[in-house]
Amino acid sequence: MRDYGAGPSRRADARDVRITDVETAVIEGNFDWNLVRIHTDAGVTGLGESYRGGRVTDIMGYMTDFLVGENPLDVERLFRRLVQETSGHGGTTGKVVTAASGVEIALWDLAGKLLDVPTYQLLGGKYRDEVRLYCDCHAGEAYAVDTGYTDYGDEAAYEPAAYAETATQAVELGFDAIKFDLDTPADNDPDPFNGRLSAADVAEKEAIVEAVVEAVGDDAEVAFDCHWDYSLDTAKRLARALEPYELLWLEDVVPPENVDAQREVARSTSTPLATGENRFRVHEFSDLLYDFAVDVVTPDPTTCGGLAESRAIANRAEENYITFSPHNVCSPVGTMACVHLGASVPNFDYLEYHALEVDWWDDLLVRSDPLIRDGRIAVPERPGLGVELDEDVAADHAKGEGLWTSRTD
Ligand SMILES: [Mg+2]
C-alpha cells in the first residue's frame, strides 16, 4: 500500500513548519457551515470549510491524528493521506472526502500565508480579477433544510408571478445570472416516488420559466435546478419544452448515479444540462466529461476533494470544451476559497451564491466593504485566502457551546 504518511525530509529552514493543532466549528447559517482552523508552530493559522453534513466536523477532528507534526505545505500528499487514513484504507468517495476537502482548503490558506502569496497564485495564477456569481433564488418560501420539499406551505409562493418578482429583485442587486428551484412539493402529487410529471405539470413549469425569463429580459441569464427528481421520459420532455427559453442551464434533471441516463437526456435536447455537485474526486467526473453527458460541470469544491481536485476536474472539462461553474452553499470562508479557484481556472463561468436570505452572511469576515458588488467578488491579493473570520459574529451563530472545538483540549 502506498504510504502517504512518508513525507520528504529535506526542506529549507524558512519552510520547515509543523502543524500543531486542528480546531473545528459549526456556524448555523441557512445551512450548517463546517469550519476548520489549522495551527502551526510558525504562529500562522489556516481556515477552511467543508460542505454540510452530519458529523463532518467529527471526521475533521479525527484527522488531527494525521496532521499534527506534518508540514502543511505538502497540501496534496496530506489530502491523500487523510482520505486513506479515514476511509478504511480503501474508500475514495463519500463523507471522508468532504471532511478532507475543508482541511485541504485550510492547508491552501496556510500555504499562501507561509509563502506570502494569494492562494490563486499556488493554483497556477489567475485569469481574472473578479469572479462572477449567480444568485440562487427562491420564490416565496425558501427551501427549508430541515423539512426539504415535504411541506407545500403557501401555494401562491409557487405561482409564476412570485418567481418573477424575486428574479427582478436579484437582478436589481446587480446579479447578471440567477437560478431557481424548478422542483416543488407539487411534484410529489400524486406519487412521490416515480419522478414522472404529467403534460400539465410540465406546462406549469414552463410557465414559471417563461415568467422569470420575461421578467429579467437581457439583464440576466437564468438557470433552473431539478434536484435529481425526474424520470428519464420526464427529464427529456421538460428539457425539450424549455428549449425556447435559452437557459443558462437546467440542473440535475435525473438522479446522479447513472451517467448513461444523464447522457440520454443530453443527446435529446439543446437545453444545456448541468450536474456534478454530489460527485467526488476526478474519477466520478470522468464519464460525465469524456462521454459529453453534461454541458456545464458543477462540482462542489468543499465536497469533491478541495481546490486541487476541483482544478483537476476543471482541467478535464476544459479538455472537452465544457464550462465549470462550482456549486457553493458555503459561508464566506468556503466561498472565498472558490473565488481563488475560479480566478485560476480558464473555463470557469459562474460561482454559486446561495445566501440571499442570510443578511449577516458577509459579516462573518472582518472587512470594510460588502463582499459582493454587482454580482461579483474581487479576487483578494492578500496572502492565502485573504480572509479573517470575525470571531464575535461567528460565536453569535455557533452551534452548541462555544465556537471552536479541538481534540487536544
Ligand atoms: Mg443544485
Side-chain angles (χ1 to χ4, degrees), residues 66-243:
F66 313 105
L67 287 166
V68 169
E70 287 275 13
N71 190 311
L73 295 171
D74 290 338
V75 178
E76 299 195 32
R77 177 179 62 80
L78 292 182
F79 170 79
R80 282 159 176 73
R81 182 179 185 195
L82 295 179
V83 173
Q84 185 183 62
E85 298 279 10
T86 54
S87 65
H89 289 181
T92 59
T93 190
K95 196 169 283 189
V96 297
V97 176
T98 298
S101 299
V103 172
E104 194 256 18
I105 288 167
L107 293 173
W108 283 120
D109 184 32
L110 261 173
K113 288 173 176 170
L114 291 167
L115 301 174
D116 201 27
V117 293
T119 294
Y120 75 75
Q121 204 68 65
L122 301 174
L123 299 175
K126 71 175 173 180
Y127 287 87
R128 46 193 72 85
D129 292 325
E130 54 186 19
V131 161
R132 293 199 298 178
L133 307 175
Y134 75 84
C135 185
D136 186 275
C137 305
H138 300 95
E141 316 256 318
Y143 178 87
V145 172
D146 292 340
T147 60
Y149 273 141
T150 57
D151 181 10
Y152 205 109
D154 178 8
E155 290 197 23
Y158 300 96
E159 293 293 328
Y163 289 79
E165 183 182 342
T166 306
T168 304
Q169 291 166 356
V171 172
E172 285 172 353
L173 290 172
F175 292 98
D176 52 21
I178 59 175
K179 188 177 85 179
F180 283 91
D181 299 339
L182 197 54
D183 53 326
T184 72
D187 294 352
N188 294 328
D189 182 18
D191 189 288
F193 306 115
N194 66 29
R196 197 186 79 81
L197 299 180
S198 68
D201 293 335
V202 172
E204 277 185 25
K205 297 196 185 299
E206 185 179 348
I208 290 170
V209 171
E210 183 178 25
V212 171
V213 169
E214 281 189 2
V216 303
D218 293 335
D219 292 336
E221 298 191 88
V222 183
F224 285 91
D225 195 340
C226 301
H227 295 108
W228 318 278
D229 271 5
Y230 301 129
S231 63
L232 186 61
D233 66 314
T234 289
K236 287 180 177 178
R237 291 169 69 187
L238 182 62
R240 292 194 66 160
L242 301 185
E243 286 175 0

Side-chain angles (χ1 to χ4, degrees), residues 297-310:
V297 71
T298 58
D300 187 318
T302 66
T303 299
C304 74
L307 301 183
E309 199 78 14
S310 297

Side-chain angles (χ1 to χ4, degrees), residues 34 57 83 138 197 202 277 287 339 343 361-362 407:
N34 294 321
T57 50
V83 173
H138 300 95
L197 299 180
V202 172
E277 72 185 63
D287 287 352
V339 165
W361 181 76
D362 62 355
R407 277 168 62 97

